[in-house]
Amino acid sequence: MEPIYEGKAKRLFTTDNPNELLMEFKDDATAFNGEKKSSFAEKGRLNLDLSCLIFDELAKQGIATHHIKRLDETRLLVKKVDIIPLEVVIRNVVAGSLHKRLGYDEGHVLDAPLVEYYYKRDDLGDPMLTLDHIAILDVATDAELKTISELGLQVNEFLIGFFGNSGIRLIDFKLEFGRDTDGSILLADEISPDNCRLWDATSGERLDKDRFRRDLGDLLDGYREILGRLQGQS
Ligand code: TMP
Protein backbone atom coordinates (compact mmCIF):
# COMPACT_ATOMS: atom_id res chain seq x y z
CA MET A 1 0.00 0.00 0.00
CA GLU A 2 1.41 3.35 -1.08
CA PRO A 3 -0.09 6.62 0.14
CA ILE A 4 -1.12 8.68 -2.88
CA TYR A 5 -3.15 11.50 -1.34
CA GLU A 6 -3.72 13.00 2.07
CA GLY A 7 -6.71 15.30 2.48
CA LYS A 8 -7.95 17.05 5.59
CA ALA A 9 -10.10 14.14 6.78
CA LYS A 10 -9.03 11.17 4.64
CA ARG A 11 -6.03 9.39 3.17
CA LEU A 12 -5.91 7.38 -0.05
CA PHE A 13 -3.62 4.43 -0.72
CA THR A 14 -2.98 2.27 -3.78
CA THR A 15 -3.76 -1.46 -3.56
CA ASP A 16 -2.59 -4.52 -5.50
CA ASN A 17 -5.47 -3.89 -7.88
CA PRO A 18 -4.81 -0.85 -10.13
CA ASN A 19 -8.57 -0.19 -10.33
CA GLU A 20 -9.09 -0.06 -6.57
CA LEU A 21 -7.94 2.31 -3.80
CA LEU A 22 -8.06 2.16 -0.05
CA MET A 23 -9.64 5.15 1.66
CA GLU A 24 -8.85 5.76 5.32
CA PHE A 25 -11.03 8.05 7.44
CA LYS A 26 -8.99 10.16 9.88
CA ASP A 27 -10.04 11.56 13.25
CA ASP A 28 -9.06 15.09 12.17
CA ALA A 29 -11.54 17.91 11.68
CA THR A 30 -10.79 21.20 9.95
CA ALA A 31 -12.82 24.27 9.07
CA PHE A 32 -12.33 27.51 7.14
CA ASN A 33 -9.99 25.87 4.63
CA GLY A 34 -7.85 24.32 7.33
CA GLU A 35 -7.48 27.45 9.50
CA LYS A 36 -9.28 25.77 12.41
CA LYS A 37 -8.04 22.28 13.23
CA SER A 38 -8.68 19.63 15.82
CA SER A 39 -8.83 15.89 16.26
CA PHE A 40 -11.62 13.81 17.80
CA ALA A 41 -10.93 10.19 18.74
CA GLU A 42 -13.43 7.92 16.90
CA LYS A 43 -14.55 10.56 14.41
CA GLY A 44 -13.09 8.53 11.51
CA ARG A 45 -15.03 5.42 12.51
CA LEU A 46 -18.27 7.34 13.09
CA ASN A 47 -18.04 9.09 9.73
CA LEU A 48 -17.30 5.82 7.96
CA ASP A 49 -20.25 4.17 9.78
CA LEU A 50 -22.50 7.00 8.62
CA SER A 51 -21.12 7.24 5.10
CA CYS A 52 -21.44 3.46 4.53
CA LEU A 53 -24.99 3.43 5.87
CA ILE A 54 -25.96 6.30 3.53
CA PHE A 55 -24.10 4.96 0.46
CA ASP A 56 -25.76 1.54 0.98
CA GLU A 57 -29.17 3.21 0.98
CA LEU A 58 -28.27 5.20 -2.16
CA ALA A 59 -27.08 2.01 -3.89
CA LYS A 60 -30.52 0.49 -3.13
CA GLN A 61 -31.97 3.49 -4.98
CA GLY A 62 -29.87 2.55 -8.04
CA ILE A 63 -27.28 5.31 -7.60
CA ALA A 64 -23.83 4.18 -8.77
CA THR A 65 -21.11 4.92 -6.21
CA HIS A 66 -17.40 4.24 -5.78
CA HIS A 67 -17.92 1.99 -2.71
CA ILE A 68 -16.70 -1.60 -2.97
CA LYS A 69 -16.52 -2.82 0.64
CA ARG A 70 -15.58 -1.76 4.12
CA LEU A 71 -12.35 -3.35 5.36
CA ASP A 72 -12.33 -2.35 9.03
CA GLU A 73 -13.37 0.44 11.39
CA THR A 74 -11.75 3.27 9.44
CA ARG A 75 -10.87 1.83 6.02
CA LEU A 76 -12.90 1.36 2.89
CA LEU A 77 -12.09 -0.19 -0.48
CA VAL A 78 -13.25 2.06 -3.34
CA LYS A 79 -13.16 2.06 -7.12
CA LYS A 80 -10.37 4.23 -8.46
CA VAL A 81 -12.05 7.13 -10.20
CA ASP A 82 -10.84 10.26 -11.89
CA ILE A 83 -12.24 12.85 -9.45
CA ILE A 84 -13.95 15.81 -11.11
CA PRO A 85 -12.54 18.83 -9.21
CA LEU A 86 -15.95 20.26 -8.34
CA GLU A 87 -17.63 20.42 -4.95
CA VAL A 88 -21.32 20.12 -5.76
CA VAL A 89 -23.40 21.75 -3.02
CA ILE A 90 -27.16 21.16 -2.87
CA ARG A 91 -29.23 23.36 -0.57
CA ASN A 92 -32.81 23.10 0.67
CA VAL A 93 -32.64 25.72 3.41
CA VAL A 94 -30.50 28.86 3.72
CA ALA A 95 -27.46 28.44 5.98
CA GLY A 96 -23.72 29.09 6.01
CA SER A 97 -22.27 30.85 2.98
CA LEU A 98 -25.68 31.24 1.28
CA HIS A 99 -26.86 33.30 4.25
CA LYS A 100 -23.81 35.53 3.73
CA ARG A 101 -24.23 35.66 -0.08
CA LEU A 102 -27.96 36.46 -0.26
CA GLY A 103 -28.63 37.98 3.17
CA TYR A 104 -31.59 35.67 3.80
CA ASP A 105 -31.97 34.42 7.38
CA GLU A 106 -30.55 31.02 8.25
CA GLY A 107 -33.49 28.64 8.20
CA HIS A 108 -35.26 30.35 5.25
CA VAL A 109 -36.71 27.47 3.19
CA LEU A 110 -35.87 27.66 -0.51
CA ASP A 111 -38.73 27.21 -2.99
CA ALA A 112 -36.71 24.56 -4.84
CA PRO A 113 -33.35 22.86 -4.20
CA LEU A 114 -30.39 24.98 -5.26
CA VAL A 115 -27.30 23.45 -6.92
CA GLU A 116 -23.97 25.28 -6.65
CA TYR A 117 -20.52 24.38 -7.90
CA TYR A 118 -17.24 25.20 -6.16
CA TYR A 119 -13.76 24.65 -7.59
CA LYS A 120 -11.96 21.98 -5.53
CA ARG A 121 -8.75 24.00 -5.12
CA ASP A 122 -7.57 24.57 -1.55
CA ASP A 123 -4.90 27.01 -2.78
CA LEU A 124 -7.70 29.23 -4.17
CA GLY A 125 -10.02 28.69 -1.17
CA ASP A 126 -12.54 26.58 -3.17
CA PRO A 127 -14.17 29.51 -5.03
CA MET A 128 -17.75 29.31 -6.30
CA LEU A 129 -17.99 28.73 -10.07
CA THR A 130 -20.56 29.69 -12.68
CA LEU A 131 -21.31 27.30 -15.56
CA ASP A 132 -19.22 29.57 -17.81
CA HIS A 133 -16.25 29.28 -15.42
CA ILE A 134 -16.62 25.49 -15.56
CA ALA A 135 -16.64 25.63 -19.38
CA ILE A 136 -13.42 27.70 -19.39
CA LEU A 137 -11.75 25.34 -16.92
CA ASP A 138 -12.97 22.38 -18.98
CA VAL A 139 -13.23 20.17 -15.89
CA ALA A 140 -16.53 18.59 -16.95
CA THR A 141 -18.54 18.45 -20.17
CA ASP A 142 -22.07 19.85 -20.43
CA ALA A 143 -23.39 16.27 -20.53
CA GLU A 144 -21.42 15.34 -17.39
CA LEU A 145 -22.70 18.43 -15.58
CA LYS A 146 -26.26 17.51 -16.52
CA THR A 147 -25.72 14.00 -15.11
CA ILE A 148 -24.07 15.42 -11.97
CA SER A 149 -26.87 17.87 -11.22
CA GLU A 150 -29.56 15.25 -11.90
CA LEU A 151 -27.81 12.73 -9.63
CA GLY A 152 -27.31 15.41 -6.96
CA LEU A 153 -31.00 16.28 -6.97
CA GLN A 154 -31.95 12.58 -6.89
CA VAL A 155 -29.65 12.03 -3.89
CA ASN A 156 -31.16 15.11 -2.24
CA GLU A 157 -34.74 13.95 -2.74
CA PHE A 158 -33.97 10.54 -1.28
CA LEU A 159 -31.92 11.87 1.66
CA ILE A 160 -34.54 14.46 2.65
CA GLY A 161 -36.94 11.55 3.25
CA PHE A 162 -34.33 9.24 4.73
CA PHE A 163 -33.13 11.76 7.34
CA GLY A 164 -36.67 13.10 7.73
CA ASN A 165 -37.89 9.66 8.90
CA SER A 166 -35.39 10.03 11.78
CA GLY A 167 -36.54 13.51 12.72
CA ILE A 168 -33.57 15.17 11.00
CA ARG A 169 -33.77 18.02 8.46
CA LEU A 170 -31.31 17.97 5.55
CA ILE A 171 -30.38 21.64 5.19
CA ASP A 172 -27.56 21.34 2.64
CA PHE A 173 -24.70 19.04 1.68
CA LYS A 174 -21.70 18.64 -0.57
CA LEU A 175 -21.08 15.84 -3.07
CA GLU A 176 -18.13 14.88 -5.26
CA PHE A 177 -18.22 12.81 -8.42
CA GLY A 178 -15.65 10.84 -10.39
CA ARG A 179 -15.30 9.14 -13.77
CA ASP A 180 -15.04 5.37 -13.85
CA THR A 181 -12.57 3.68 -16.24
CA ASP A 182 -15.33 3.60 -18.88
CA GLY A 183 -16.12 7.30 -18.35
CA SER A 184 -19.37 6.83 -16.47
CA ILE A 185 -20.07 9.17 -13.55
CA LEU A 186 -19.97 7.68 -10.04
CA LEU A 187 -20.83 9.29 -6.72
CA ALA A 188 -17.52 9.45 -4.81
CA ASP A 189 -15.99 10.87 -1.61
CA GLU A 190 -18.23 10.54 1.48
CA ILE A 191 -21.61 11.64 2.82
CA SER A 192 -21.31 12.34 6.51
CA PRO A 193 -22.05 15.15 9.00
CA ASP A 194 -18.67 16.60 7.91
CA ASN A 195 -20.23 17.60 4.61
CA CYS A 196 -23.95 17.86 5.39
CA ARG A 197 -25.90 20.29 7.55
CA LEU A 198 -28.36 18.28 9.62
CA TRP A 199 -30.72 19.90 12.12
CA ASP A 200 -32.99 18.24 14.63
CA ALA A 201 -36.46 18.61 13.12
CA THR A 202 -38.06 19.69 16.40
CA SER A 203 -35.49 21.69 18.33
CA GLY A 204 -33.37 22.91 15.38
CA GLU A 205 -30.26 21.68 17.21
CA ARG A 206 -27.27 21.48 14.87
CA LEU A 207 -26.08 17.86 14.75
CA ASP A 208 -23.35 18.31 12.10
CA LYS A 209 -19.86 19.79 11.74
CA ASP A 210 -21.20 23.31 12.40
CA ARG A 211 -20.85 22.22 16.06
CA PHE A 212 -17.09 22.35 15.48
CA ARG A 213 -17.06 25.25 12.98
CA ARG A 214 -19.05 27.51 15.30
CA ASP A 215 -18.41 25.95 18.73
CA LEU A 216 -22.02 24.80 19.15
CA GLY A 217 -21.40 21.71 21.27
CA ASP A 218 -19.57 18.42 21.43
CA LEU A 219 -18.96 17.35 17.82
CA LEU A 220 -19.22 13.61 18.26
CA ASP A 221 -22.36 13.77 20.42
CA GLY A 222 -24.08 15.16 17.33
CA TYR A 223 -22.61 12.50 15.03
CA ARG A 224 -23.57 9.71 17.49
CA GLU A 225 -27.10 11.07 17.68
CA ILE A 226 -27.47 10.95 13.89
CA LEU A 227 -25.97 7.45 13.65
CA GLY A 228 -28.18 6.11 16.45
CA ARG A 229 -31.32 7.45 14.80
CA LEU A 230 -30.43 6.18 11.31
CA GLN A 231 -29.41 2.74 12.61
CA GLY A 232 -32.71 2.53 14.44
CA GLN A 233 -34.46 3.10 11.13
CA SER A 234 -32.50 0.88 8.71
P1 TMP B 1 -21.27 26.49 2.99
O1 TMP B 1 -22.58 27.05 3.45
O2 TMP B 1 -20.14 26.79 3.91
O3 TMP B 1 -20.97 26.90 1.57
O4 TMP B 1 -21.40 24.90 3.00
C1 TMP B 1 -22.40 24.25 2.25
C2 TMP B 1 -22.36 22.75 2.53
O5 TMP B 1 -21.17 22.19 2.03
C3 TMP B 1 -22.40 22.40 4.01
O6 TMP B 1 -23.23 21.26 4.18
C4 TMP B 1 -20.98 22.04 4.37
C5 TMP B 1 -20.42 21.54 3.07
N1 TMP B 1 -19.02 21.89 2.89
C6 TMP B 1 -18.08 20.90 2.68
O7 TMP B 1 -18.40 19.72 2.66
N2 TMP B 1 -16.79 21.25 2.49
C7 TMP B 1 -16.38 22.54 2.49
O8 TMP B 1 -15.18 22.81 2.32
C8 TMP B 1 -17.37 23.56 2.71
C9 TMP B 1 -16.97 25.02 2.73
C10 TMP B 1 -18.67 23.18 2.89
Side-chain angles (χ1 to χ4, degrees), residues 87 89 91 95-97 118 172-174 195-197 213:
E87 302 206 340
V89 171
R91 302 179 187 265
S97 68
Y118 294 82
D172 57 33
F173 61 105
K174 184 263 294 181
N195 49 32
C196 301
R197 283 197 177 91
R213 295 189 189 98

Side-chain angles (χ1 to χ4, degrees), residues 8 30-33 87-91 94-101 106 116 118 122 125-126 170-176 189-190 192-198 208-210 213-214:
K8 298 190 202 82
T30 69
F32 314 118
N33 202 17
E87 302 206 340
V88 181
V89 171
I90 319 263
R91 302 179 187 265
V94 173
S97 68
L98 189 64
H99 157 70
K100 290 192 183 138
R101 188 177 302 280
E106 281 208 314
E116 297 173 343
Y118 294 82
D122 284 343
D126 295 346
L170 177 62
I171 305 302
D172 57 33
F173 61 105
K174 184 263 294 181
L175 298 176
E176 292 183 27
D189 193 49
E190 67 178 287
S192 76
D194 269 16
N195 49 32
C196 301
R197 283 197 177 91
L198 299 164
D208 57 80
K209 196 170 128 185
D210 272 349
R213 295 189 189 98
R214 304 192 198 171

